Amino acid sequence: MVFEGLAEKLQDTFKRLKGKGKLTEKDVTEAMREVRLALLEADVNFKVVKEFVNKVKERSIGSEVLESLTPAQQVIKIVNDELTDLMGKAQSKINFSSKPPTIIMLVGLQGAGKTTTTGKLAGMLKKQGKRPLLIAGDVYRPAAIKQLQVVGEKVGVPVFTMGDKQSPVDIAKAGIDHGINHGNDVVLIDTAGRLHIDEDLMGELQDIRSTVKPHEILLVVDSMTGQDAVNVAEHFNEKLGIDGVILTKLDGDTRGGAALSVRAVTNKPIKFAGLGEKLDDLEPFHPDRMASRILG
Ligand code: GDP
């Protein structure tokens, strides 16, 4: 599970700190050195680690903390607060349009879990009482359309497709019209992914964006790729502008570097987390709960 390694190391560090009773500045500095190493080992972006440790140190070394009756507890609370902040403070939700349908565009590289996640999100919205429609816009990957139809069927959400001979822009436009005519209040457009970021992919996504003007562009990234996921997010955000990130495969990511760095590096929130292959393994991302997972 995510943060396994980090949780173990930080909990060890804090156990030692608690065992000391009264703390000196040196104790805090030593603990922060361990926190720094643990975060780096968890593959957190090094700039993010540096800022994080400096902030925690600054807040911990004040006399209020060191001279309190439970200094270690105070330091742990500060780490907890700062970890929560790092991941975005509060849960960040989908920005629904006041005038339906809300148009959500899902983007990402091949293999990140985009098609599965699009289906999961549609299923989650349906359970919340929405009437979603999936639009099959990945016309390049063989079987992508079929795959979306299969997940759509499993979650009980209709899938709009025009096969793979039309342009994704035309499919997206026609799909939205179809949704409007059928009373769908949310449409989710599954777009093509490539193995790597390239100009063609970005150009096509920019065309879809400028034509359909989505209310949300959600980037799906694979958390197991660590800092690569963060670089992908930075790049998509620069070229396309994203509203949020969905981090997939957190169930297999023992380190958690992407979860801890994406927000600070891109300034865009993580909105959902994928926690398994099943179609109900998608959860809203709660920074505070994630932080508690690390600190136990
Ligand atoms: P796409 O190429 O981005 O559309 O990726 P797919 O949706 O085809 O997913 C690629 C693989 O990742 C599939 O085997 C999915 O079952 C798997 N997958 C997607 N999300 C998760 C997740 O949150 N956890 C796990 N363990 N597997 C996932």
Side-chain angles (χ1 to χ4, degrees):
M1 197 33 103
V2 68
F3 300 134
E4 221 167 68
L6 181 62
E8 204 182 300
K9 293 211 180 73
L10 293 193
Q11 286 170 25
D12 274 358
T13 296
F14 293 136
K15 207 192 271 166
R16 271 197 298 281
L17 214 54
K18 276 194 227 160
K20 285 185 193 255
K22 202 113 187 85
L23 296 185
T24 64
E25 232 180 91
K26 193 164 157 275
D27 294 327
V28 174
T29 304
E30 173 60 20
M32 285 312 122
R33 200 183 64 82
E34 290 174 19
V35 170
R36 190 178 140 263
L37 285 176
L39 288 170
L40 288 172
E41 272 175 46
D43 196 26
V44 180
N45 173 289
F46 79 95
K47 270 196 213 147
V48 173
V49 174
K50 200 169 159 193
E51 266 173 42
F52 178 85
V53 170
N54 284 345
K55 255 192 222 162
V56 174
K57 226 190 222 166
E58 208 172 279
R59 287 184 58 192
S60 302
I61 281 177
S63 58
E64 253 170 68
V65 173
L66 295 187
E67 281 162 24
S68 73
L69 289 174
T70 52
Q73 226 70 315
Q74 308 279 343
V75 173
I76 297 168
K77 184 176 179 306
I78 291 169
V79 171
N80 184 67
D81 290 352
E82 293 295 338
L83 281 174
T84 307
D85 262 22
L86 191 59
M87 289 185 281
K89 278 199 183 91
Q91 185 209 342
S92 184
K93 298 186 178 166
I94 287 184
N95 165 38
F96 287 104
S97 165
S98 52
K99 184 171 163 280
T102 296
I103 301 168
I104 304 177
M105 186 173 158
L106 286 108
V107 301
L109 295 184
Q110 223 174 70
K114 185 169 43 59
T115 308
T116 314
T117 304
T118 307
K120 285 178 176 176
L121 184 58
M124 178 188 273
L125 293 171
K126 188 178 173 197
K127 277 191 194 147
Q128 292 168 1
K130 304 270 183 206
R131 297 196 57 207
L133 171 73
L134 289 161
I135 300 177
D138 183 354
V139 296
Y140 303 107
R141 182 161 64 93
I145 297 175
K146 181 78 202 151
Q147 191 190 345
L148 194 68
Q149 286 172 321
V150 171
V151 295
E153 194 163 315
K154 281 192 188 152
V155 296
V157 171
V159 179
F160 177 86
T161 156
M162 286 166 72
D164 58 5
K165 303 285 182 284
Q166 310 282 327
S167 81
V169 173
D170 288 342
I171 296 172
K173 272 197 302 197
I176 293 166
D177 287 343
H178 178 95
I180 293 170
N181 292 332
H182 290 79
N184 298 110
D185 50 11
V186 187
V187 297
L188 301 112
I189 309 170
D190 183 27
T191 61
R194 306 275 155 86
L195 286 176
H196 303 284
I197 292 172
D198 61 43
E199 293 296 312
D200 285 353
L201 169 66
M202 285 302 168
E204 187 174 295
L205 296 174
Q206 285 160 352
D207 284 350
I208 301 177
R209 183 196 60 193
S210 55
T211 309
V212 311
K213 305 200 170 41
H215 303 98
E216 284 265 337
I217 300 182
L218 296 176
L219 171 70
V220 179
V221 291
D222 175 350
S223 68
M224 287 172 69
T225 61
Q227 289 314 295
D228 274 349
V230 179
N231 294 336
V232 166
E234 211 179 356
H235 201 99
F236 269 82
N237 192 36
E238 262 168 31
K239 296 279 177 197
L240 193 66
I242 58 172
D243 299 291
V245 170
I246 303 183
L247 263 190
T248 62
K249 309 187 197 178
L250 268 188
D251 52 307
D253 173 22
T254 52
R255 304 210 286 171
L260 285 164
S261 319
V262 158
R263 167 73 204 216
V265 172
T266 63
N267 206 23
K268 293 296 157 78
I270 299 169
K271 295 202 174 183
F272 297 95
L275 290 152
E277 295 201 73
K278 290 204 301 302
L279 288 170
D280 54 3
D281 291 330
L282 184 74
E283 289 178 7
F285 186 86
H286 293 280
D288 52 344
R289 290 186 206 163
M290 285 287 159
S292 324
R293 223 178 236 193
I294 301 174
L295 294 178

